Amino acid sequence: MSRFFCFSARSCNTAARAASYIAGMKKKPIIVVLGTGGTIAGHGASAAHVAAYTCSVLAIDEIMAAMPHAASRADLRMEQLLQIGSENFRNEHLLMIGKRVSAALEDVEVDGVVLTQGTDTIEETAYFLHLTIKSEKPVVVVGSMRPPSAMSSDAALNLYAAVCAAAHPSSRGKGVLVVANDEIHTARDVSKASSFKLEAFHSPYGPLGYIVEGLPRYYRTVARDHTLSAEWSVDQIESLPRVDIIHAYGELDESVVEAIASQARGIVYAGTGNGSIARRIAAVLAQAAQRGVQVARASRTGSGVVIRNGAQPDDERGWLVVDDQSPYKARVLLMLALLGGIGDRAALQACFYRY
Ligand code: DGL
């Protein structure tokens, strides 16, 4: 009889699993975890400080070390990219993060990337990556609303869930994902909709799925183009054109709009209701469009579509309209769309319906 006799089904399974790991037959996925700061890297004076604390102080390996469960799901390679609140992210940061994510995914050994960042601008970073990363491998952006030091912090569970999502083959090809509060959102739709609640992330058509007991369950896919089918690659972008957002309100002064329009290559106008523009502002924006500034009407309401040539004569004034993109998503999209030049308005308009 063999000396490697199995005493029970359980020990036999364990031995077989160990042997298969050793033989390289069953490997844990390799996930690169990039840290950039935010609340998930924050620390408060006491556990009672759930909303007042210092952001961006813990290094990514410290955060991961406090959460051994993630290492049971994947081999983690940690890297500190930045240590700043995401309100400081400028275009140069988006490009730097995107190029690093892209390089990480090019490594054939790597199965996915988790990017930790502050939640304030997660919706912009994630959407930028969603449109410019050329890979099917999962990229999950994650943050937390409470620092790891707080009572009932969501930091550990969100990060664990993000690693689980990135490590699972069912997350491939779905574009960039944002994981928070047990939910998996598409970068296209998600926005931060609360300044302090754990339930801060919202997608107008609902999340793509949930993380349940460490496993993703998907219920829908993304209808619009992204990653491999999108026309941009972050590796080929060195800078982004200036696109500003102008938020509508009753006393918005024409001179402010004129000052911005004289500097920008694109403007997203977060208009009232269905992207409405007051008559006196419309005159300034029509002139800007004549000079070649691309003006896209969006809505400040937080959801819904903007109707082209509805209440506003977009063709006549040379304006674009968003489909349903928020002003912040529209800004990211218009910056990318303008990389190809500003000449072809119809092509720019088509981007809002394609992505
Ligand atoms: N300063 C904010 C940021 O980095 C902290 C908010 C958060 O991470 O939840 O976006």
Side-chain angles (χ1 to χ4, degrees):
M1 183 191 284
S2 157
R3 290 188 338 144
F4 301 106
F5 173 75
C6 290
F7 294 98
S8 70
R10 192 169 166 184
S11 63
C12 189
N13 281 343
T14 310
R17 228 179 288 130
S20 69
Y21 269 115
I22 291 162
M25 285 157 57
K26 185 169 178 4
K27 242 172 48 113
K28 276 195 284 182
I30 296 177
I31 301 298
V32 173
V33 184
L34 303 172
T36 70
T39 295
I40 200 163
H43 191 76
S46 83
H49 287 90
V50 292
Y53 47 84
T54 311
C55 282
S56 314
V57 287
L58 301 174
I60 190 63
D61 42 7
E62 283 179 275
I63 304 168
M64 297 308 297
M67 209 232 312
H69 308 90
S72 71
R73 305 305 294 259
D75 281 331
L76 304 170
R77 294 182 184 172
M78 273 83 76
E79 201 178 308
Q80 193 76 45
L81 267 193
L82 293 167
Q83 189 62 297
I84 56 175
S86 70
E87 66 276 12
N88 299 298
F89 282 13
R90 306 191 65 171
N91 291 345
E92 69 204 63
H93 297 106
L94 295 184
L95 288 168
M96 186 271 271
I97 291 168
K99 286 177 194 292
R100 185 62 201 105
V101 170
S102 172
L105 294 173
E106 255 172 44
D107 182 338
V108 287
E109 285 202 328
V110 169
D111 295 285
V113 168
V114 169
L115 174 75
T116 66
Q117 74 154 85
T119 58
D120 288 4
T121 64
I122 224 169
E123 62 203 77
E124 283 126 293
T125 312
Y127 192 46
F128 177 74
L129 300 176
H130 189 68
L131 295 175
T132 61
I133 292 295
K134 290 275 154 282
S135 177
E136 281 212 311
K137 295 179 187 176
V139 176
V140 181
V141 191
V142 66
S144 71
M145 295 301 291
R146 294 179 185 161
S149 52
M151 273 188 277
S152 292
S153 171
D154 52 339
L157 187 54
N158 282 356
L159 193 44
Y160 174 68
V163 169
C164 293
H168 202 274
S170 66
S171 301
R172 287 177 69 97
K174 291 194 162 52
V176 173
L177 306 168
V178 172
V179 167
N181 206 30
D182 300 327
E183 295 179 335
I184 308 169
H185 294 263
T186 166
R188 181 189 186 273
D189 295 343
V190 73
S191 64
K192 183 174 179 178
S194 169
S195 62
F196 80 103
K197 291 199 293 186
L198 294 187
E199 195 188 351
F201 289 92
H202 174 74
S203 293
Y205 315 109
L208 295 184
Y210 303 112
I211 294 281
V212 181
E213 284 289 309
L215 287 174
R217 296 189 192 184
Y218 289 101
Y219 299 95
R220 63 186 190 91
T221 51
V222 192
R224 301 300 179 93
D225 283 340
H226 58 77
T227 54
L228 290 179
S229 66
E231 60 202 271
W232 305 284
S233 163
V234 69
D235 297 323
Q236 276 146 31
I237 306 173
E238 290 317 316
S239 63
L240 291 162
R242 177 167 168 177
V243 174
D244 288 309
I245 300 171
I246 300 177
H247 208 90
Y249 56 95
E251 286 304 316
L252 174 61
D253 198 277
E254 297 93 301
S255 63
V256 174
V257 178
E258 182 53 64
I260 292 170
S262 68
Q263 300 288 320
R265 288 188 55 203
I267 290 174
V268 174
Y269 189 83
T272 51
N274 201 268
S276 301
I277 307 183
R279 274 196 294 273
R280 58 201 173 73
I281 305 290
V284 179
L285 290 177
Q287 279 164 19
Q290 261 179 16
R291 296 197 305 269
V293 180
Q294 297 297 347
V295 177
R297 290 195 301 115
S299 172
R300 70 172 199 176
T301 60
S303 67
V305 296
V306 174
I307 308 296
R308 188 166 176 83
N309 295 318
Q312 308 271 334
D314 295 295
D315 285 345
E316 195 181 296
R317 291 183 174 153
W319 294 335
L320 307 164
V321 295
V322 303
D323 177 9
D324 66 340
Q325 293 88 357
S326 73
Y328 316 106
K329 306 273 188 198
R331 176 179 168 272
V332 171
L333 181 53
L334 187 53
M335 286 195 298
L336 292 168
L338 286 172
L339 287 171
I342 57 170
D344 188 350
R345 268 206 181 108
L348 294 174
Q349 181 58 68
C351 283
F352 288 101
Y353 297 121
R354 177 173 168 195
Y355 295 105

